[in-house]
Amino acid sequence: MRINRILLSAPLVVVALVIQVTVLARLQLPGAVPDLLLLVVLGLALVYGHVAGALIGFFAGLLADVAPPSDHAIGRYALVLCVIGYAAGLTKPDSGQHRSATVPLMVVIGAAIGSTLMYAGVGSLVGDTAARHVGLVGLLLSATLYDLLLAPFAVPLVMAVARRTDHEALVGDGSGSSSGTSGSRDAGYGWLTTGTGLKASRGAMKSVRTGARIGSQRGGLLGKSARDKVGRIKGVKRL
């Protein structure tokens, strides 16, 4: 998972857990407690995908398991949110963005029902029968209602922030790669320029050598003609 996603997910999860423990849990509402942490995990999973959704869900659930006043086994809610985050991330379209609010709304409903059932099921496996005493049907109805009422304020905001940070990271990577490409092009042009200079210097050396050869040939011809002339003059003066 990218570092920018971790830097965004960590404070969102911590803030959501603090609000849920200090505010929502003290409202004394009938049935379940509004699960803001679940909605934050859903919003991030809908943008980041199933792998990131599973990782965020696991660590968010693990943080909720150890945060006071936790009264259940450690790892119970981590397992629930890990599965929910993975399943929610599977609904991410190939384009990366949902065209309407129908799919996120259905994801919230399914997550509210699924998380409650999974939490109660895992609790029954470890000997926690609190869901039976409270009433599983009442928990399902209240959890779904509370999460649906809270979702329009939490899920779109989390998704917008996640998309914005992802877009900025992609833009930064694109500018870096383009600058690197231009730098490599400049380097390539530099190599071409250097090669041209070498060719030019070689051409100059060849021209110098050619000129020297021509000069030497001309000098030889002139020297020969001069010797001939000198020989003729000496021959004439012999008589």
Side-chain angles (χ1 to χ4, degrees), residues 26 29 43 46 77 98 121 136 147 173 194 197 206 232:
R26 298 183 179 183
L29 296 174
L46 289 172
Y77 204 45
H98 296 277
L136 185 58
D147 291 344
D173 293 341
T194 307
K206 288 181 179 180
R232 288 177 185 177

Side-chain angles (χ1 to χ4, degrees), residues 14-36:
V14 172
V15 171
L17 182 61
V18 170
I19 294 176
Q20 183 169 332
V21 172
T22 59
V23 178
L24 299 178
R26 298 183 179 183
L27 294 178
Q28 301 297 328
L29 296 174
V33 176
D35 200 343
L36 181 60

